[in-house]
Amino acid sequence: MPLIRRSALACALSVLLSCAGPFAPDPETGPPFVTSESTYVLRPTQEGVTVDIAFTFVNRTGAAIFVLNCNWITSLHLEQDVGGVWTFAWAGAVPDCLSPPIELRVGDVFSDTLHVFAGDPSGPVEPKFEVHPVTGRYRLVWNALFWSPEDATFPYGAEIAKELRTSEPFEIVEP
């Protein structure tokens, strides 16, 4: 097993084991994509608001998944439940490079933290929440996760279905 994969797996397992309560996924039967908390409170900053959302993904798709990334920075966005419709709410900037894909084999666990920052709606700092009020029910959507056909020379096939790369819902509240 390559050193990078062993390091990533050890890191992911340490994060997974440190999660408490019902939001730590069961690696065999729980939801495949969960956040560490059921409610997050935005913290005010000089320029806007911030919150850190820890998440864990377990690949139970039955096939290897390849994650596009730039130096291990992956792309996620937030959607808010607006009147029963999941609506794009926020996405951060992601560097414009293409590193080797992160491979998640069946059963692999990936844990990370999405650092959300949103500028004041009336100020010049980006990104901003695209929904108002910000308080509400959210979910994470992980972008750029691909299947790989077994005979492919390039590791990316079709993007996996959105429902397989979407977290369980959680709340974001303003202070």
Side-chain angles (χ1 to χ4, degrees):
M1 181 182 286
L3 178 59
I4 233 172
R5 179 171 296 155
R6 274 184 278 166
S7 299
L9 185 57
C11 179
L13 287 173
S14 69
V15 171
L16 177 63
L17 294 173
S18 69
C19 291
F23 297 96
D26 179 312
E28 299 197 13
T29 61
F33 190 12
V34 297
T35 58
S36 63
E37 305 293 330
S38 60
T39 302
Y40 293 91
V41 179
L42 292 171
R43 296 181 310 274
T45 70
Q46 219 173 3
E47 310 279 324
V49 292
T50 188
V51 66
D52 293 332
I53 302 172
F55 65 90
T56 299
F57 176 85
V58 181
N59 181 5
R60 280 197 227 100
T61 65
I65 294 173
F66 293 85
V67 183
L68 291 185
N69 70 95
C70 175
N71 298 318
W72 278 77
I73 299 170
T74 65
S75 173
L76 294 103
H77 70 270
L78 291 171
E79 292 181 345
Q80 185 186 51
D81 182 353
V82 178
V85 176
W86 289 105
T87 304
F88 175 84
W90 178 92
V94 177
D96 191 16
C97 77
L98 184 60
S99 298
I102 299 167
E103 181 180 358
L104 302 176
R105 295 182 180 171
V106 175
D108 280 356
V109 176
F110 184 95
S111 294
D112 202 352
T113 299
L114 177 63
H115 304 286
V116 176
F117 170 80
D120 184 290
S122 60
V125 178
E126 295 287 338
K128 297 180 184 347
F129 275 100
E130 302 291 325
V131 292
H132 298 284
V134 172
T135 293
R137 185 171 178 237
Y138 284 82
R139 66 185 188 179
L140 284 176
V141 178
W142 202 357
N143 306 310
L145 274 66
F146 294 88
W147 303 108
S148 180
E150 295 221 4
D151 59 349
T153 55
F154 191 65
Y156 310 121
E159 189 167 33
I160 69 171
K162 186 175 182 179
E163 58 269 11
L164 297 175
R165 52 189 176 84
T166 301
S167 77
E168 295 286 296
F170 55 90
E171 299 290 322
I172 293 180
V173 297
E174 296 185 70

